[in-house]
Amino acid sequence: MNTVMRTCVSAIALTFGLAVAAQAEDVEVLHWWTSGGEAAALNVLKSDLETQGIGWIDMPVAGGGGEAAMTTLRARVTAGDPPTAVQMLGFDIQDWAAEDALANLDAVATAEGWDAVVPAALQAFSKYDGNWIAAPVNVHSTNWVWASKAVLDQLGLAQPTTWDEFVAAMQAAQDAGFVGLAHGGQAWQEATMFDGVVLSTGGPDFYRQAFIDLDPAALGSDPMVEAFRRMETLRSFVDDNFSGRDWNLASAMVINDEAAFQIMGDWAKGEFLNAGEVPGTDFLCFRLPGSEGSVTFNADQFALFAVEGEAAQAAQAAMASAIMSPSFQSAFNVVKGSVPARTDVPPDAFDACGQQGMIDLAAASAGGTLLGSMAHGHANRAAVKNAIYDVVTAHFNGEYDAATAAQELVAAVEAAM
Ligand code: GAL
C-alpha cells in the first residue's frame, strides 16, 4: 500500500463517522451513462447526493461498455489528475487496485455491514486483498432479448421459447418488412450478443470453460463453431445500416416498432421505460432462448480514486454510503433496468422484467450458473476481452467463416494472455 492510500485509509476511517455531516466537497464522476435511460438513472444518483450536500461534477465519456471511458481515465491518471469517482466494471477495478490507485472503503463497508449483503460474485470484484475498493451500484445481465409486442402481435407470433422459434420469428418479421434484429455494429455490441449466444449454444459449463477458464479446447471446439454460425444467422436479420449504430438507437428501433427484437443487456430496459413503454404491454423481455437458468452478469461499481484532503475523502465516503443504501439501490435500479447489488432490497418497486431479473440472479447464484459477462469485463482482463472482441466482430463483418473464427479465437486469446 502506498503512502497516499495509507493516508486515505486512516482519514476515511477517522472521518467516516462525521462524513455525512461534514462539509463535503464536490465529487467528479467519470462515467459512460449518456443515453436517455442511463441519464435518467444517473439523475437519481445526482439528486440523492445533492440532498446530502455533495455537488456533482459531470465527466461523461460516451460509448457503451465503457472502453472510451477507460481510455480517458488512463489519460487523466497519467496526467496526475484522476477523477474522484469512476464507473467501472469487473477486472478493470482489480487492475486499478493492483496499481494502488484506489481508496480503501473498509471503514464505511464495515460500519454498514456490506459483507453480509453483497453477493460473493460481486465481492470478488469489489474487494482487493480483502479490502473494499469499490461500491457496487447494480447487477446487469447480458443474456436478454427485448421484443416489440406490437410487431409480434401483428404477425401473430408468441414469445419464442427455443433458438429455432427465435430464428423463425426473426424470419417472419423480416418477411413482413420489419427489421428482424435491431443491432448496432460496434465490437462491444457484437460481443454482448456473443455472451448469450455462446451460453445458449453450449450451456453454462461450456461458457465457463471458454470465457472464464480460457480453455483452448473449448475456445476451438465444435460448440464454439456452432456459436459463430448462430452469429451468422443473427447477422442475416440485421438491417443494412447497422454499422456503427449506438445500442440505444437499436433499442429505439424496437421501441418504434420498426424492428422485432434486440439482444442486449438490461440497460436496454431503461430506454423502453424512458420512452414511456410498459413491459408486457408494449415490450417483452425474456432470456435468449436456450440460456434460461443462467445469467451472464456485469455489475457497475464506483471506484473512488485515492485523494488527499479530509473534505474530499468525506465526500467519497458519503458517496459510497449513498450508493449502498437500500432505498437508493431500489430507486436507481428501477430506472436503470438493472437489479440491486444488495440481496436485501425488496422487489416491490420493480416491474415484471426487474422482478424476473432478481429471481434469475438469486437462482443462478444458488445454482452455480451465475457467470461473469465476457463482453463487459467480468470474465477476463481487458487484454483478453479485447482480443475476443476483435475476432467476434471480424467474423460478424464477414472476414472469415465460423470454423476459421473459432481457430482465430484460440490464437487471439493465447496471444493476449
Ligand atoms: C455497460 C454498463 C451498463 C450500460 C451499458 C451501455 O457496460 O455496465 O451500465 O449502461 O454498458 O452503456
Side-chain angles (χ1 to χ4, degrees), residues 32-35 38 62-67 87-89 137-138 140 142 188 192 247-248 264-268 298-301 332 336 338 375-378 389:
W32 64 92
W33 285 336
T34 56
S35 77
E38 289 173 329
E67 269 182 292
Q87 177 194 356
M88 228 183 253
L89 296 173
V137 65
N138 65 16
H140 274 301
T142 54
W188 76 269
T192 300
W247 67 272
N248 52 311
M264 187 44 62
D266 42 12
W267 46 91
N298 58 302
D300 291 301
Q301 310 214 22
F332 175 86
K336 184 69 171 70
S338 36
H376 294 266
H378 282 70
Y389 273 25

Side-chain angles (χ1 to χ4, degrees), residues 76-340:
R76 288 280 306 264
V77 175
T78 305
D81 177 32
T84 33
V86 181
Q87 177 194 356
M88 228 183 253
L89 296 173
F91 280 97
D92 289 340
I93 305 171
Q94 295 291 301
D95 286 346
W96 281 107
E99 291 190 30
D100 251 349
L102 303 183
N104 182 319
L105 305 176
D106 281 352
V108 54
T110 305
E112 298 184 350
W114 295 3
D115 274 294
V117 293
V118 175
L122 265 61
Q123 289 194 28
F125 297 108
S126 317
K127 283 179 160 181
Y128 183 77
D129 258 356
N131 302 314
W132 283 90
I133 37 87
V137 65
N138 65 16
V139 186
H140 274 301
S141 60
T142 54
N143 58 319
W144 284 107
V145 182
W146 309 90
S148 158
K149 180 87 167 38
V151 172
L152 296 199
D153 286 352
Q154 192 176 324
L155 299 173
L157 294 170
Q159 178 183 309
T161 57
T162 63
W163 179 261
D164 289 346
E165 281 180 19
F166 182 45
V167 172
M170 286 186 285
Q171 186 67 61
Q174 194 177 58
D175 291 347
F178 296 102
V179 175
L181 183 69
H183 174 62
Q186 297 173 345
W188 76 269
Q189 294 189 59
E190 274 121 37
T192 300
M193 293 203 296
F194 202 53
D195 271 359
V197 168
V198 167
L199 182 60
S200 139
T201 310
D205 291 339
F206 176 70
Y207 180 100
R208 188 179 292 106
Q209 285 154 15
F211 287 156
I212 295 170
D213 302 342
L214 301 176
D215 175 357
L219 289 166
S221 65
D222 287 347
M224 190 59 79
V225 175
E226 178 58 20
F228 278 112
R229 283 209 191 95
R230 288 185 173 192
M231 291 296 281
E232 290 167 16
T233 302
L234 295 176
R235 171 74 179 79
S236 72
F237 295 118
V238 162
D239 69 319
D240 288 344
N241 300 321
F242 80 101
S243 204
R245 176 188 287 137
D246 287 331
W247 67 272
N248 52 311
L249 300 180
S251 302
M253 293 165 67
V254 180
I255 292 169
N256 297 333
D257 307 320
E258 294 159 37
F261 302 102
Q262 181 186 23
I263 301 171
M264 187 44 62
D266 42 12
W267 46 91
K269 193 186 79 178
E271 299 305 302
F272 288 85
L273 299 183
N274 197 45
E277 297 223 325
V278 177
T281 306
D282 304 307
F283 70 95
L284 303 178
C285 59
F286 55 95
R287 295 289 172 181
L288 184 67
S291 76
E292 300 88 351
S294 300
V295 169
T296 43
F297 81 98
N298 58 302
D300 291 301
Q301 310 214 22
F302 280 94
L304 306 172
F305 273 70
V307 291
E308 296 198 52
E310 281 192 16
Q313 291 164 5
Q316 286 185 325
M319 180 176 180
S321 172
I323 286 171
M324 292 304 290
S325 101
S327 58
F328 168 76
Q329 292 250 337
S330 178
F332 175 86
N333 287 302
V334 158
V335 177
K336 184 69 171 70
S338 36
V339 303

